[in-house]
Amino acid sequence: MKTFVTGFPRIGEQRELKFALERFWKGEQPFSEVEKVATELKQRHWNYQKEANIDAVSINDFSLYDTTLDTMVALGLEPKSHQDITDKTARYFAIARGDDQHRALEMTKWFNTNYHYIVPVLDETTDKEVDITKIKAEYIAAKAEGITPKVNLIGPLTFIANAKKSNGEDAPFELFEDILAKYKALLAQIATLDEKILIQIDEPVLVTDKAAELGLLIKKAYSELTSVATNVELFVITYFDHAKEATKALCTTDVAGIGLDFVYAKENKEVVKIIADAGKKLIAGVIDGRNIWISDIDAKVALLEELAQDIDKENIIVSTSCSLLHVPFTLKYEEKLDTEVKSWLAYSVEKLDELNLTAKCFFSDALSIEEQKALDANRAANQSRRTSSKIHDEAVQARIKELESLKVKRVPYETRIVKQHEKFNYPELATTTIGSFPQTPEVRKARRAFKNGEIDEESYIEQMKTFTKACVLWQDEIGLDVLVHGEFERNDMVEYFGEQLSGVAFSQNGWVQSYGSRCVKPPLIYGDVSRPEPMTVFWSSYAQSLTDKPMKGMLTGAVTILNWSFVRDDQPRSETCYQISLGIRDEIDDLQNAGIEMIQVDEAAFKEGYPLRASKRPAYEEFAVKSFWISTNVAKETTQIHTHMCYSEFNDIIRTIEEMDADVISIETARSGNVLLKVFARTGYLQEIGPGVYDIHSPRVPSTEEMVAQIKELMEVLPAKQLWINPDCGLKTRGWAEVKPSLENMVKAVKEVRAQL
Ligand code: GLN
Ligand code: ZN
């Protein structure tokens, strides 16, 4: 075995699974149609891997919704709450998505990716027999395709660490013995499927700081799991960061091999020798499973040679850094991408060939003519990437060189805020919103028609002006203090800016599964980023011209643009982030010169970028904060900088938020009461705060009374003069029928509270 793929995307190269599922959910087709599509997709995916000479091809990496949910089913650990649903399929999707009578289980991010898994609740489960129906069916089907499958499972430690208890507590490790017993039963059954069986156990939790405490459990789990059956070979796979602590523990057990990520954790090199000494295989994750740039095959081979100094070549298996789930499917359908940019890309299918070629170059002396051709093409593409003027923009680089002088804070907040109050004279408990207003079918239709060339720019602008005008006048009329233009011209808060920045491309088919049937298509930041022209000044100025109240300009921050994109890997992420920051900086300057002097820089994804390991967080925080300064320190003292973050967890990042030094921050507190706000109070946070007073994720209209009560609670924690009153996020997903009464009630509530002050 020389080549290994950790996992393959399942949604289908044209999102076939998504469409089949959604038709089934709508009642437009029976479940058998979904099964048919699933069967075809699995076959196709296995064959892609077979054709690329991949030796270790996964089964059970496929899922109709989520592999953690599949693990619950396989272990017989479904939530008790859904057991009255007797139909297996109906129950599965009710756990995932809820139904008339049942709530869906919570969903959360899979480590530091944008994939969301279903969070198991482990103390109130059915405790049924383990169930290998799905695994068995896939095993048999894969064998029929001429593949020797490896069975993918989410490991017990990761499964428990990602689970909850019904009281909401994290990581129910006290259930370890019970869960381990389930895994042993599962493995025993899988062992009956064939004479010899290969099992891949994914344990990404072992790359987190938790690994240090898990030492004994790692040892116990894998000593016991490896003694279940003699015909099973167990490979424990880690990814996204280093697994140095865990590798030592795993090497004391009988696992056959250990998978380490050498793309995102060079530190893993330090433990290769330990694996060699223990006589185990190293599954060397060298092909990037999380980003879309072509590999530099020569560099990959050099890396493998370096590893081979510590471990025999025949004990190395060349692999992807993680499952290919996190990258799009195939370049085959990319017809509109610039051909040069396209030549720098590799999606899942192309990565299989890269993996194969890397292994060929590493293991054998001679290449076939075909392979040599592929290698030459790879070298040429990498060379063009190093030199292309599409990537390297001297003007941007010159600005970056001068940057050192820009990475500074504005004048002290205490000085600024006095001047801002003199200028804007807004009341205590100032009311505002987070930016977007309902994206109604008419709004979407107009944008789509313009994009498809069905209407001309003039009539598009007319329509957008009509939406904006109605929105601004209405906000004015109900008495909001600080207005927004409504963001009708924006499809998405990152895409809107990405499309106007140089160095950023958009794919046609670069879909990546986010959860269930949902996919996202992240922008591709391939080159030096600059902002050729103002991006928002037109719309903000138009909106300001309609009112005497302050109009907030709306920008997406550099860190959020970075965290929601595929970012170039030929320079540090910080460098790319600074370049984007300069673009936002120019925009802020243009806005303030155009008379827009309250400007919100949304950092909705600020927290998402945090590295898994605490030791790596300061470096992230440093560049993230600096990039916020680079963007915002161009603001005059009297220009008020707002920021918005969609979280309710600030405990561990409060000092960093403070460092960012926005004048006003709005956050998502509506669902967590004023617990969160206390963090700000306790730490002596000085700047103004808009804790969301109602939850925009629900269609419910909050009453005036309940918001009065909410505001009073907030005022018990922080003084009124430090508080803004706003919903907890943008309103784009809501309808006007909910937004109107909600905001009217919010304004009424504030008036009542002010009258009592
Ligand atoms: N200004 C954006 C909006 O209102 C912010 C969105 C977000 O925080 N996710 O839509
Ligand atoms: Zn938000």
Side-chain angles (χ1 to χ4, degrees):
M1 186 166 49
K2 296 196 161 91
T3 48
F4 188 106
V5 170
T6 312
F8 206 69
R10 52 230 185 194
I11 204 78
E13 60 193 53
Q14 297 194 291
R15 291 179 293 156
E16 293 89 336
L17 182 61
K18 168 194 177 69
F19 299 117
L21 282 169
E22 290 175 359
R23 279 194 300 269
F24 165 63
W25 291 334
K26 278 193 211 138
E28 293 169 7
Q29 66 177 20
F31 184 60
S32 56
E33 288 299 313
V34 176
E35 285 180 305
K36 209 174 115 202
V37 170
T39 302
E40 281 168 18
L41 288 178
K42 282 182 258 186
Q43 277 174 3
R44 194 195 291 161
H45 303 170
W46 291 327
N47 279 308
Y48 269 130
Q49 296 175 75
K50 190 170 131 188
E51 281 158 25
N53 286 321
I54 306 301
D55 301 320
V57 175
S58 307
I59 64 147
N60 206 35
D61 55 344
F62 189 88
S63 177
L64 291 178
Y65 203 96
D66 167 48
T67 44
T68 299
L69 174 52
D70 296 344
T71 309
M72 291 179 230
V73 175
L75 294 171
L77 292 173
E78 291 175 41
K80 244 189 202 144
S81 47
H82 294 62
Q83 284 317 298
D84 55 309
I85 310 172
T86 46
D87 179 67
K88 206 174 161 182
T89 306
R91 193 166 65 236
Y92 180 88
F93 289 119
I95 298 171
R97 315 170 62 234
D99 66 12
D100 295 348
Q101 269 126 56
H102 304 83
R103 276 144 74 96
L105 290 196
E106 196 188 312
M107 211 167 43
T108 196
K109 276 176 189 285
W110 178 250
F111 298 87
N112 56 1
T113 74
N114 192 34
Y115 176 76
H116 299 70
Y117 68 92
I118 312 255
V119 180
V121 176
L122 284 189
D123 55 348
E124 291 193 0
T125 66
T126 50
D127 200 5
K128 286 193 264 199
E129 290 283 288
V130 297
D131 176 358
I132 64 161
T133 319
K134 173 177 186 286
I135 295 170
K136 186 174 177 181
E138 290 189 19
Y139 197 91
I140 292 168
K143 281 215 116 173
E145 294 299 314
I147 278 157
T148 314
K150 69 174 152 81
V151 181
N152 280 27
L153 295 175
I154 290 170
L157 300 168
T158 298
F159 183 70
I160 299 172
N162 282 351
K164 287 207 157 162
K165 292 201 290 188
S166 41
N167 66 6
E169 272 174 38
D170 276 348
F173 273 100
E174 70 260 31
L175 299 169
F176 173 77
E177 294 288 344
D178 298 346
I179 307 287
L180 184 60
K182 288 281 191 184
Y183 270 89
K184 283 159 76 177
L186 186 67
L187 252 59
Q189 289 213 16
I190 295 173
T192 64
L193 290 177
D194 215 336
E195 272 167 36
K196 219 178 143 230
I197 292 253
L198 208 80
I199 299 184
Q200 165 183 327
I201 301 206
D202 287 30
E203 287 284 23
V205 73
L206 301 184
V207 310
T208 67
D209 292 326
K210 284 199 188 102
E213 312 149 23
L214 289 176
L216 285 176
L217 295 188
I218 298 172
K219 199 169 169 182
K220 182 161 172 38
Y222 287 95
S223 303
E224 294 194 17
L225 290 175
T226 46
S227 41
V228 169
T230 49
N231 64 331
V232 169
E233 265 197 318
L234 264 187
F235 289 88
V236 177
I237 306 295
T238 67
Y239 35 79
F240 306 148
D241 210 319
H242 78 78
K244 290 200 295 188
E245 305 94 333
T247 298
K248 288 173 196 150
L250 286 167
C251 280
T252 66
T253 72
D254 286 334
V255 299
I258 297 170
L260 300 177
D261 178 342
F262 292 98
V263 177
Y264 292 90
K266 300 278 183 266
E267 307 93 310
N268 273 329
K269 290 178 190 170
E270 296 161 32
V271 291
V272 170
K273 195 139 189 4
I274 298 173
I275 296 177
D277 291 344
K280 306 201 181 301
K281 301 261 185 210
L282 169 67
I283 295 91
V286 297
I287 300 293
D288 194 342
R290 296 197 55 175
N291 214 335
I292 42 135
W293 313 107
I294 46 164
S295 300
D296 178 340
I297 305 282
D298 291 320
K300 299 295 174 192
V301 175
L303 170 60
L304 288 165
E305 293 293 356
E306 192 187 338
L307 302 180
Q309 289 175 4
D310 286 336
I311 187 167
D312 286 345
K313 252 188 183 182
E314 55 266 32
N315 282 331
I316 296 180
I317 301 171
V318 185
S319 176
T320 50
S321 71
C322 62
S323 168
L324 296 172
L325 177 69
H326 310 292
V327 288
F329 218 101
T330 165
L331 285 168
K332 183 157 83 183
Y333 303 101
E334 296 296 353
E335 287 154 354
K336 293 192 185 150
L337 271 176
D338 176 279
T339 48
E340 206 178 348
V341 173
K342 192 173 161 185
S343 76
W344 302 323
L345 303 181
Y347 292 176
S348 296
V349 172
E350 294 77 27
K351 281 175 191 286
L352 298 176
D353 291 332
E354 290 189 338
L355 179 53
N356 182 32
L357 186 57
T358 303
K360 280 276 153 60
C361 294
F362 177 57
F363 289 113
S364 54
D365 304 324
L367 295 182
S368 70
I369 295 172
E370 215 112 286
E371 289 159 356
Q372 187 59 49
K373 251 167 100 183
L375 183 60
D376 290 343
N378 178 269
R379 285 176 177 155
N382 276 292
Q383 181 59 18
S384 110
R385 229 189 133 196
R386 277 188 285 270
T387 52
S388 170
S389 60
K390 287 201 177 104
I391 292 184
H392 307 279
D393 179 335
E394 279 172 21
V396 175
Q397 281 158 19
R399 270 188 94 181
I400 290 287
K401 281 220 182 78
E402 289 159 16
L403 207 61
E404 283 313 317
S405 60
L406 283 181
K407 289 180 197 162
V408 290
K409 265 188 173 173
R410 301 169 70 194
V411 298
Y413 170 73
E414 293 89 328
T415 316
R416 286 163 4 220
I417 196 69
V418 174
K419 298 195 175 157
Q420 290 167 15
H421 274 276
E422 273 166 20
K423 176 188 174 103
F424 295 110
N425 197 25
Y426 53 84
E428 285 184 353
L429 305 173
T431 50
T432 191
T433 61
I434 305 305
S436 57
F437 269 78
Q439 293 255 331
T440 58
E442 301 82 69
V443 172
R444 291 173 194 279
K445 197 175 142 209
R447 259 202 331 260
R448 208 178 319 121
F450 177 53
K451 202 171 179 187
N452 297 340
E454 291 152 24
I455 56 172
D456 62 11
E457 184 163 13
E458 202 179 322
S459 87
Y460 167 73
I461 288 182
E462 263 334 294
Q463 289 195 53
M464 287 296 141
K465 276 188 170 173
T466 311
F467 297 128
T468 307
K469 184 170 183 182
C471 179
V472 171
L473 296 185
W474 180 78
Q475 292 173 66
D476 210 340
E477 188 188 305
I478 68 159
L480 283 158
D481 298 309
V482 170
L483 313 191
V484 298
H485 75 284
E487 301 180 23
F488 301 107
E489 76 288 7
R490 302 182 191 178
N491 170 34
D492 172 272
M493 66 186 286
V494 168
E495 188 173 299
Y496 181 77
F497 291 91
E499 281 176 340
Q500 300 186 73
L501 293 168
S502 310
V504 183
F506 287 84
S507 67
Q508 264 169 293
N509 206 41
W511 297 103
V512 179
Q513 189 176 17
S514 167
Y515 65 90
S517 66
R518 294 296 191 96
C519 300
V520 294
K521 195 153 58 82
L524 321 176
I525 305 179
Y526 63 88
D528 289 335
V529 177
S530 63
R531 184 212 67 149
E533 277 170 40
M535 305 182 280
T536 64
V537 176
F538 175 83
W539 289 111
S540 289
S541 304
Y542 170 67
Q544 182 68 83
S545 76
L546 303 166
T547 177
D548 294 331
K549 299 237 175 97
M551 177 61 55
K552 246 192 310 184
M554 281 295 152
L555 305 176
T556 300
V559 178
T560 294
I561 294 179
L562 189 85
N563 288 343
W564 280 344
S565 300
F566 284 122
V567 180
R568 58 192 286 197
D569 61 353
D570 57 348
Q571 66 180 19
R573 282 173 78 84
S574 54
E575 193 88 358
T576 303
C577 196
Y578 294 151
Q579 293 179 355
I580 307 168
S581 304
L582 286 171
I584 303 298
R585 174 186 179 86
D586 295 346
E587 190 68 17
I588 291 178
D589 201 24
D590 283 343
L591 280 170
Q592 68 182 357
N593 291 332
I596 309 297
E597 291 161 298
M598 278 192 187
I599 302 170
Q600 180 172 310
V601 181
D602 287 325
E603 283 294 12
F606 191 87
K607 221 181 144 181
E608 278 185 42
Y610 270 74
L612 292 170
R613 292 272 185 179
S615 60
K616 295 182 182 175
R617 285 180 201 146
Y620 171 76
E621 288 178 323
E622 188 184 320
F623 88 69
V625 168
K626 277 186 186 158
S627 70
F628 196 80
W629 293 352
I630 292 167
S631 292
T632 55
N633 70 11
V634 70
K636 294 181 248 175
E637 285 175 32
T638 49
T639 297
Q640 186 167 69
I641 298 292
H642 292 229
T643 188
H644 166 69
M645 293 194 182
C646 305
Y647 311 113
S648 50
E649 255 301 331
F650 283 87
N651 261 312
D652 44 346
I653 62 167
I654 185 81
R655 288 291 168 215
T656 309
I657 302 298
E658 197 167 36
E659 270 297 284
M660 288 170 71
D661 198 26
D663 298 304
V664 184
I665 183 171
S666 58
I667 51 180
E668 186 186 283
T669 34
R671 284 177 288 182
S672 57
N674 61 10
V675 182
L676 160 64
L677 209 54
K678 286 192 178 139
V679 179
F680 285 83
R682 198 179 56 232
T683 54
Y685 187 87
L686 283 181
Q687 288 92 327
E688 297 183 0
I689 309 174
V693 291
Y694 80 88
D695 175 12
I696 63 94
H697 304 89
S698 144
R700 207 175 70 86
V701 174
S703 68
T704 307
E705 298 76 57
E706 93 187 55
M707 282 192 277
V708 166
Q710 171 93 352
I711 295 166
K712 285 186 175 163
E713 264 185 50
L714 298 176
M715 286 164 52
E716 280 169 24
V717 185
L718 288 173
K721 69 175 190 350
Q722 200 180 350
L723 289 170
W724 285 63
I725 302 300
N726 46 258
D728 71 351
C729 197
L731 301 164
K732 68 190 271 189
T733 56
R734 299 265 66 93
W736 278 105
E738 304 138 27
V739 163
K740 282 195 170 172
S742 300
L743 289 180
E744 280 164 3
N745 290 351
M746 186 182 91
V747 173
K748 268 189 226 146
V750 168
K751 286 196 176 137
E752 257 179 51
V753 177
R754 277 187 199 141
Q756 293 168 24
L757 277 180

